[in-house]
Amino acid sequence: MEIFKRIGVVGAGAMGRGIVQLFATCGIEVRLHDSRPEAIDEALFHNRALLERAHKKGRLSAETLARALACMTAADELDRLADCDLVVEAIVEQLDAKQALLRELEARVAPDAVLATNTSSLSVAAIASVCRHPERVAGLHFFNPVPLMKIAEVVQAGRTAPEVGERLVALVERAGHFAARVPDSPGFLVNHAGRAYGPEALRILAEGIATPAQIDRIMRDCLGFPMGPFELFDLMGLDVSHSVMCSVHDQFYQDARYTPSALVPPRLAAGLLGRKSGEGFYRYTDGKPVLDESAEVATVSLEQPFWLDCEDAGMRDKIAAVLAAAGAELESGDSPSTRAICLVTPWARIPAA
Ligand SMILES: NC(=O)c1ccc[n+]([C@@H]2O[C@H](COP(=O)([O-])OP(=O)(O)OC[C@H]3O[C@@H](n4cnc5c(N)ncnc54)[C@H](O)[C@@H]3O)[C@@H](O)[C@H]2O)c1
């Protein structure tokens, strides 16, 4: 299978820079373009610092470091991507912007060059629909941060040539990631499944049930997620997440289960985008969250009885044993009394104790 020799990346934000780092580290020449020239310099500087740090920590040999740095270059003009055999776009999540870019790229690259989109949720077929050769267009959806999240979705749109998908799978595997071949459906696989995470957390917040820090802590400490939903919003950028929420909602014909949260637009207008703007649900200094030391963990009163909603008898016994060990009373009726604190067991992976 012919692996790509020279890759162009358009969009030097969180994703574009990560994609550049990933491919350069495995020795493929990558050229980075952005409509803001300063974003290209910043991204290449950022990548250099990350790679040098990895070398200092002994995770990257001097040879791989030198090769990776030599492989990453700036493309000040889009014309500099003309001889790339693959161009991956990672610009703003807007259909018209992506279509306009693909048109511009098609006018420059060779007839057999592949064009890939890193879109999180837009239809790949809709992006490709403006191209003269939609068979060369596929989705190549990485996750943030690209070098660490070792999976990419390879999206086969209605007109994507099968060999284009196969070449992208080979490229993803060469970079050491798992390639998941997925159909061109709203949110593909991961962001469709993720609707039960972020948007549901926003609903809990909107209903005043818990704060972002409380929700994040429960998802991390009790359910074993590596990151809570609000930490994830801050990492992805709320602007990017909002576009995904709106796009998936539209593509499912406004199904109420996917309704985007009204909490989000005022936060976007205020610039509370997350790490990239220095503040989102948390505040950041030098890219690190500033934790609110005064935030207290709420204590649960053991004076009130507990009522447990759990159909799994084995799990029920385990939770009952934890409550008993803590000295709490567990109600046994079919429905809770008015005093009871109700415990609901959602479906999830239970982390090993
Ligand atoms: N942030 C995430 O966690 C994440 C994860 C997976 C996929 N994505 C997708 O990747 C894409 C980029 O997301 P991001 O978070 O890197 O965005 P970002 O806002 O960090 O960066 C986007 C970059 O694109 C540039 N840009 C915008 N329009 C352009 C154009 N017409 N031509 C050239 N450059 C242009 C901007 O100047 C900016 O530097 C989006 O489609 C997003 O949905 C994001």
Side-chain angles (χ1 to χ4, degrees), residues 217-230:
R217 205 182 56 240
I218 290 168
M219 298 312 285
R220 262 190 282 104
D221 297 355
C222 305
L223 294 172
F225 281 82
M227 201 177 260
F230 295 98

Side-chain angles (χ1 to χ4, degrees), residues 217-298:
R217 205 182 56 240
I218 290 168
M219 298 312 285
R220 262 190 282 104
D221 297 355
C222 305
L223 294 172
F225 281 82
M227 201 177 260
F230 295 98
E231 291 162 325
L232 189 59
F233 280 133
D234 276 7
L235 178 72
M236 280 186 70
L238 194 59
D239 51 340
V240 174
S241 302
H242 185 58
S243 301
V244 174
M245 290 188 263
C246 294
S247 159
V248 172
H249 181 236
D250 282 348
Q251 290 177 73
F252 280 115
Y253 303 103
Q254 285 81 36
D255 184 329
R257 283 178 302 173
Y258 302 114
T259 306
S261 173
L263 291 182
V264 175
R267 299 189 72 86
L268 297 184
L272 300 171
L273 307 183
R275 284 174 187 253
K276 65 182 166 188
S277 67
E279 186 169 358
F281 291 102
Y282 301 93
R283 273 184 302 116
Y284 298 85
T285 305
D286 297 331
K288 302 248 170 350
V290 183
L291 297 174
D292 181 1
E293 302 292 346
S294 65
E296 281 183 18
V297 177

Side-chain angles (χ1 to χ4, degrees), residues 100-168:
L101 175 62
L102 256 63
R103 264 206 209 97
E104 296 254 353
L105 287 170
E106 235 192 353
R108 289 167 168 80
V109 296
D112 56 351
V114 170
L115 302 177
T117 170
N118 188 51
T119 181
S120 305
S121 62
L122 298 171
S123 152
V124 175
I127 296 172
S129 64
V130 297
C131 292
R132 276 179 291 124
H133 295 290
E135 67 279 4
R136 60 154 101 188
V137 182
L140 182 58
H141 182 217
F142 287 98
F143 295 84
N144 191 5
V146 178
L148 301 182
M149 297 293 286
K150 297 211 164 281
I151 177 171
E153 292 176 321
V154 174
V155 186
Q156 183 87 21
R159 289 187 181 275
T160 310
E163 59 271 23
V164 165
E166 282 153 24
R167 286 181 76 192
L168 291 173

Side-chain angles (χ1 to χ4, degrees), residues 13-15 34-36 90-91 93 98 118 120 142 144 236:
M15 297 307 291
D34 196 288
S35 50
R36 292 181 304 119
I91 65 165
E93 184 77 345
K98 289 189 189 289
N118 188 51
S120 305
F142 287 98
N144 191 5
M236 280 186 70

